[in-house]
Amino acid sequence: MAKAVAMLVALSLAVVVATSAGGASADCNIAALASCKAAVIQGAKPTAACCSNLRAQEACLCEYQKNPNYGKHLPNARKVVTSCGMAIPNC
């Protein structure tokens, strides 16, 4: 459970800082999660673009969780992941 919580924390911050440059690795593009910002921050329903981008970044979510700044939006981040039909990764 702690690992799932940490992943959601990472997703939260990833969305919050999605407009900034950089990513967790060459294959990860945190800016691609900008389409999930309203869903994570405001609790809005995730858009199709959000879910598509989230699926494309799924392999990066465990890596993003390592950043301790992502915790603020944890409840909505969990909802976004599950609303997109994805399982919470076991990191």
Side-chain angles (χ1 to χ4, degrees):
M1 178 67 179
K3 289 180 181 183
V5 169
M7 187 286 307
L8 293 173
V9 168
L11 175 60
S12 303
L13 186 57
V15 171
V16 171
V17 298
T19 57
S20 67
S25 73
D27 296 324
C28 297
N29 180 6
I30 200 165
L33 298 177
S35 61
C36 297
K37 186 174 181 178
V40 172
I41 294 176
Q42 301 165 353
K45 181 179 177 182
T47 63
C50 168
C51 291
S52 176
N53 291 335
L54 188 59
R55 284 184 197 97
Q57 292 291 306
E58 188 171 13
C60 302
L61 298 180
C62 287
E63 192 170 339
Y64 294 150
Q65 82 173 351
K66 295 174 186 176
N67 190 317
N69 298 317
Y70 293 150
K72 186 175 177 181
H73 304 286
L74 180 61
N76 288 341
R78 178 186 274 300
K79 290 177 188 175
V80 171
V81 171
T82 57
S83 291
C84 289
M86 298 170 59
I88 305 297
N90 194 9
C91 301

